[in-house]
Amino acid sequence: MTLYGIPPAGMRRFLAPEDGQEHARAIVDAAHAWWVTHRGGSGDRAIAVGTLAGLALSAPSRPDGPDYGTLLIPLGDEGLVDALRAGWNSFWSYDPDLAEAARPLHEWLSHPSGNEIRGLADYARILVRAGLLEYCSDTARAESDDILGRLIARMRTYAERQSTGEFFTPSMAADHVGETVFATDREPGSLFLEPAAGTGTMARAAAAALRVYGMDPASYRWWLNDVDALNVACCAVNAQLWRLGRQVTVSIGDALRQPRLLEEQVHERATRAIARQKEQPVLYPTRTRPPYWPI
């Protein structure tokens, strides 16, 4: 039985492409096509990517988990905004520092205008139909590609990419580098440092390689830096989607010229976020119960 023409989770898993990268491309293609058709272009990318990120964080923690799609599909625009707030509240409770770093993806939820949330429920249904929840609940699929980075790359114009010189590493190339980096033994507790991380796809490839060699990425330390605030916000979310563990640092700035300044900024942000969380346990007021969070 379908709801709004969207099959249940078991059927969505059955219909999803076997290859994780192909699945990621299908989700991003559907998301981008809807946004261009119904929102008139690539504007409001923080909302487009932030909505995808919020739903991704709300995915079940295992492939055979509950079907949250049945809760999301019937929602209207206002209801979806409330559900997204609940998801970001959970992230805030779980890791206030990363939630603060991800603020460019969710700060619009504080006081969204009617135009900003117009059609978001339909956009969410497109993502659910494409299998976003099933993609993110399966670690092997989620780490097969950088779905947030893919969507950002699609939404940035050619002129923007030319002006910044920004180039997203293709998944195949990143996978090859990940295999090379971890072909030798790495001691748990070692630091993976990426000074120009983009949205983190090199970390994704490294984490996947670690698992191939029987190691747990959560046993290592990760520091992902970029000069673009939206990229850094995606790194913060991806760290959770790729199960990198609790030893993750993200920063924004020039890691080659001002490494000491970056360390100070990261320390100050973490201190402020932890103190703020104690005073403000809930990031956004909401009527929706937050999804399960594996603390």
Side-chain angles (χ1 to χ4, degrees), residues 134-270:
E134 290 69 43
Y135 177 88
C136 295
S137 64
D138 185 337
T139 303
R141 280 181 180 268
E143 72 179 5
S144 67
D145 207 336
D146 177 5
I147 193 168
L148 299 181
R150 272 189 176 276
L151 184 55
I152 286 181
R154 288 289 297 275
M155 298 192 76
R156 282 183 173 148
T157 65
Y158 177 78
E160 286 176 312
R161 294 194 297 270
Q162 286 292 98
S163 65
T164 61
E166 189 173 53
F167 174 74
F168 281 82
T169 305
S171 298
M172 184 177 297
D175 290 342
H176 177 72
V177 174
E179 286 286 338
T180 302
V181 168
F182 287 100
T184 57
D185 291 338
R186 295 274 173 163
E187 292 294 327
S190 298
L191 173 66
F192 180 96
L193 173 62
E194 177 55 88
T199 53
T201 194
M202 290 300 297
R204 173 200 61 76
L210 283 170
R211 289 193 175 94
V212 168
Y213 289 107
M215 294 175 279
D216 182 4
S219 300
Y220 295 78
R221 295 179 296 132
W222 305 83
W223 190 320
L224 309 178
N225 177 82
D226 199 74
V227 296
D228 183 273
L230 193 59
N231 287 351
V232 172
C234 289
C235 284
V237 174
N238 279 331
Q240 176 63 24
L241 299 183
W242 300 332
R243 278 64 164 179
L244 298 187
R246 302 304 301 270
Q247 303 181 87
V248 178
T249 299
V250 298
S251 59
I252 176 171
D254 190 335
L256 301 179
R257 295 183 179 180
Q258 299 175 315
R260 179 61 62 183
L261 179 59
L262 283 181
E263 291 182 16
E264 294 174 358
Q265 291 175 346
V266 166
H267 178 72
E268 291 174 0
R269 185 192 68 210

Side-chain angles (χ1 to χ4, degrees), residues 7-110:
M11 182 62 71
R12 296 197 300 269
R13 282 193 292 269
F14 177 77
L15 295 174
E18 292 187 11
D19 180 73
Q21 291 184 7
E22 184 182 346
H23 193 182
R25 284 194 293 270
I27 294 170
V28 170
D29 286 346
H32 183 257
W34 186 94
W35 203 263
V36 170
T37 300
H38 297 277
R39 297 293 288 262
S42 297
D44 293 334
R45 69 186 56 141
I47 299 178
V49 180
T51 299
L52 188 149
L55 292 174
L57 288 172
S58 299
S61 59
R62 62 184 193 280
D64 60 347
D67 183 8
Y68 293 157
T70 58
L71 303 177
L72 293 167
I73 290 169
L75 297 176
D77 293 339
E78 292 285 353
L80 178 69
V81 167
D82 206 48
L84 291 174
R85 287 171 176 156
W88 289 108
N89 285 344
S90 291
F91 197 23
W92 175 251
S93 298
Y94 181 68
D95 195 319
D97 182 37
L98 289 185
E100 182 63 33
R103 187 169 289 276
L105 291 174
H106 60 77
E107 62 182 348
W108 59 273
L109 287 167
S110 59

